[in-house]
Amino acid sequence: MIPFLPLGAINETYQPALSEAALQVIQRGWYLQGEATKTFEQSFSRFVGARYCVGVGNGLDALTLSLMALKLQNHWGDDAEVIVPDMTFVATAQAVVRAGMIPIFADVDDDALLTPCLAEQVLSSNTRAVIPVHLYGKAADMDAFAAWADERHVILLEDAAQAHGAFSGKKRVGSTAKVSAFSFYPGKNLGALGDGGAVTTDDEDIAHAVRTLANYGADRKYHHIVQGLNSRLDEMQAAMLSVKLPRLDQDNQHRQHIASIYAQHIDNPLVKVPYQGDTVHSVFHIYPLRCSERERLHEFLQSKGIQTSCHYPLTLSQQPIFETSDCRTPHAREWARTQISLPISPIMTEEEALITCEAINQFNL
Ligand SMILES: *Cc1c(COP(=O)(O)O)cnc(C)c1O
């Protein structure tokens, strides 16, 4: 069997360091807001090239808290609109709603990414921010977005939950927007052993506001200046992440190597490899193949012992919680109809990748 993402086996390759770090946290007897979190925040901000990093409870909270901080800082009202791509994980838009604003869904391009041109199509006089998502591990063109956002007086955030370590131009994601949100959900390229997230920024006031909002809106103990949340990266997860961060680039390179095997050996007119075979501009959180007979390909590969998944079967505007019937996002909907995710991980072998290619090449109608 070729598993989609064997998390236990992946984390086994970091042993015994994970167990040793966990034991230290247990023995220190200090489980929140301690030295493990501080150490990880420092190394992660250095890694992405941002001045500040605030560890939070998960990726949804990282996005929500970023938006709450911006809303306060800029005195936005509840009619503020935030542009998000229609093809992304639901959290990108749920964060906008939780922060008391309105998500506006834009179409995506042939790489499933938002572009300034597509954002422009849904721009309104109420647009206050835009959130490009580095979907599947490929960074959106953040230089182009920075210029566009500047010109339109719109704040640029980034949802970097799928792209730890990726570059947009010369910068790592996490340092290419006013505020950046990360998730350390176990299956991400940098994954904790539970929930975790982070906000990175160069803006001291935003970093401070996020930390305050994430701690019940308290500026000091038992003194609450704003309605906040309880959302913290805990010491155990921070310690796990500090063990895993030093190997992130190497893990991403392995993913790119697997992607290059896919790009070279998949040869079937019924499927389309991503990025026209380019395998250096993504960290391949997901390997997004496209096939108009997606369900049948999934069943066929399943019968050969190869697990696949789909990211995502519905666009956000097709979700019951949003159900916006007047939304025109044909490319996003095409992705939702045809996308199928192949196995890819830091421990997948060349042999497993070749077996997968061979099976895909045997697929016919
Ligand atoms: C995983 C993910 C999130 C949410 O992260 P959680 O830690 O699961 O809350 C947000 N956006 C994108 C694009 C994601 O893939």
Side-chain angles (χ1 to χ4, degrees), residues 352-365:
E352 288 173 321
L354 287 168
I355 291 168
T356 304
C357 295
E358 205 172 302
I360 291 166
N361 294 346
Q362 283 167 14
F363 175 66
N364 57 40
L365 299 179

Side-chain angles (χ1 to χ4, degrees), residues 185-204:
Y185 178 81
K188 307 289 181 175
N189 287 31
L190 180 60
L193 277 63
D195 276 316
V199 174
T200 59
T201 181
D202 279 345
D203 186 315
E204 187 177 1

Side-chain angles (χ1 to χ4, degrees), residues 283-322:
V283 293
F284 290 98
H285 172 58
I286 298 291
Y287 190 87
L289 201 68
R290 274 178 288 175
C291 175
S292 56
E293 295 294 331
R294 188 244 323 270
E295 298 309 322
R296 288 172 68 174
L297 178 56
H298 169 81
E299 297 290 316
F300 178 77
L301 293 175
Q302 187 76 34
S303 77
K304 304 228 158 213
I306 298 164
Q307 287 182 346
T308 63
S309 185
C310 172
H311 301 84
Y312 297 90
L314 292 178
T315 71
L316 298 191
S317 63
Q318 292 174 316
Q319 290 290 349
I321 51 166
F322 296 118

Side-chain angles (χ1 to χ4, degrees), residues 16 25 39 88 115 123 144 189 199 251 307 312 357:
V25 172
T39 300
T88 175
T115 65
L123 185 79
N189 287 31
V199 174
D251 285 356
Q307 287 182 346
Y312 297 90
C357 295

Side-chain angles (χ1 to χ4, degrees), residues 54-309:
V54 182
V56 299
N58 55 64
L60 174 62
D61 285 355
L63 285 159
T64 306
L65 291 158
S66 300
L67 287 158
M68 288 168 75
L70 286 167
K71 193 183 184 197
L72 284 171
Q73 187 185 51
N74 297 286
H75 310 288
W76 293 338
D78 293 345
D79 61 348
E81 294 179 357
V82 179
I83 298 173
V84 301
D86 199 26
M87 175 47 66
T88 175
F89 181 57
V90 71
T92 316
Q94 277 185 328
V96 176
V97 176
R98 273 177 89 208
M101 296 184 278
I102 303 165
I104 301 293
F105 305 114
D107 206 4
V108 295
D109 69 4
D110 204 41
D111 294 343
L113 299 176
L114 187 58
T115 65
C117 183
L118 292 163
E120 181 81 23
Q121 290 174 11
V122 294
L123 185 79
S124 86
S125 57
N126 287 331
T127 306
R128 297 291 171 264
V130 59
I131 315 182
V133 178
H134 309 308
L135 201 69
Y136 308 139
K138 183 164 197 285
D141 184 345
M142 296 305 283
D143 286 331
F145 264 111
W148 179 82
D150 211 36
E151 201 172 295
R152 298 287 184 242
H153 305 292
V154 160
I155 301 279
L156 181 60
L157 286 83
E158 63 182 336
D159 181 341
Q162 299 193 359
H164 315 70
F167 282 83
S168 182
K170 291 195 166 57
K171 286 180 171 173
R172 292 244 197 214
V173 310
S175 65
T176 71
K178 173 95 173 163
V179 195
S180 312
F182 287 90
S183 161
F184 305 121
Y185 178 81
K188 307 289 181 175
N189 287 31
L190 180 60
L193 277 63
D195 276 316
V199 174
T200 59
T201 181
D202 279 345
D203 186 315
E204 187 177 1
D205 294 337
I206 291 289
H208 185 74
V210 167
R211 214 179 272 288
T212 302
L213 286 161
N215 190 36
Y216 311 98
D219 63 343
R220 56 180 195 269
K221 200 164 187 181
Y222 304 135
H223 190 259
H224 305 273
I225 52 169
V226 56
Q227 289 294 347
L229 315 177
N230 168 14
S231 183
R232 300 175 292 218
L233 181 65
D234 66 70
E235 289 283 286
M236 189 63 83
Q237 299 313 329
M240 301 299 100
L241 292 167
S242 284
V243 169
K244 295 180 76 173
L245 178 60
R247 221 184 74 192
L248 176 59
D249 278 333
Q250 190 190 318
D251 285 356
N252 284 343
Q253 277 158 22
H254 187 82
R255 287 172 181 271
Q256 290 172 331
H257 178 59
I258 296 298
S260 72
I261 294 175
Y262 282 153
Q264 254 173 52
H265 295 273
I266 292 176
D267 181 14
N268 184 331
L270 296 171
V271 306
K272 193 171 160 192
V273 299
Y275 321 126
Q276 279 148 0
D278 167 28
T279 57
V280 300
H281 289 101
S282 173
V283 293
F284 290 98
H285 172 58
I286 298 291
Y287 190 87
L289 201 68
R290 274 178 288 175
C291 175
S292 56
E293 295 294 331
R294 188 244 323 270
E295 298 309 322
R296 288 172 68 174
L297 178 56
H298 169 81
E299 297 290 316
F300 178 77
L301 293 175
Q302 187 76 34
S303 77
K304 304 228 158 213
I306 298 164
Q307 287 182 346
T308 63
S309 185

